[in-house]
Amino acid sequence: MATAAPLSRRPDYTHQYNAASGRHGWLRLTPAYSVKVVEEILEAYPHATRVLDPFCGTGTTALCAIRRGIPATTTDINPFLIWLAEAKTRIYSQAHIEEVRHACRHMLQLENGAF
């Protein structure tokens, strides 16, 4: 009788894979799954026209779907995670990005006693 190979941990299927993935790495939430898992599922459904994720967590699925041009509808029970997913999937203007960068530089100067 053949025995199944033991299951092993796959770091590429966990939040660790997302650390260097732009917006996906904004929060290291331990139970989060990786971009790789979502991409593999979306590749299996090349004609998908919409994605529903009723337990969106940090928004990994929505962000992957949006990158592919697929509309996504998401929700979660945790209000903070809903806010984070919305922040990660929002489209930011270049002017807004520069405004935030300027504010961050200013805060760093204040922290370092430059003012």
Side-chain angles (χ1 to χ4, degrees), residues 41-110:
I41 292 169
L42 292 175
E43 285 172 11
Y45 297 93
H47 302 295
T49 58
R50 178 164 290 281
V51 170
L52 171 63
D53 185 359
F55 311 103
C56 72
T58 64
T60 299
T61 300
L63 202 50
C64 289
I66 290 166
R67 250 200 241 154
R68 291 173 173 262
I70 304 169
T73 301
T74 65
T75 191
D76 200 284
I77 195 169
N78 184 325
F80 171 73
L81 294 179
I82 291 171
W83 172 85
L84 180 63
E86 288 174 352
K88 285 171 58 177
T89 57
R90 188 175 295 130
I91 297 172
Y92 297 95
S93 69
Q94 190 60 40
H96 188 253
I97 292 168
E98 289 305 318
E99 181 182 335
V100 171
R101 283 184 178 149
H102 176 74
C104 289
R105 282 192 291 271
H106 181 70
M107 292 302 295
L108 287 171
Q109 289 172 344
L110 289 174

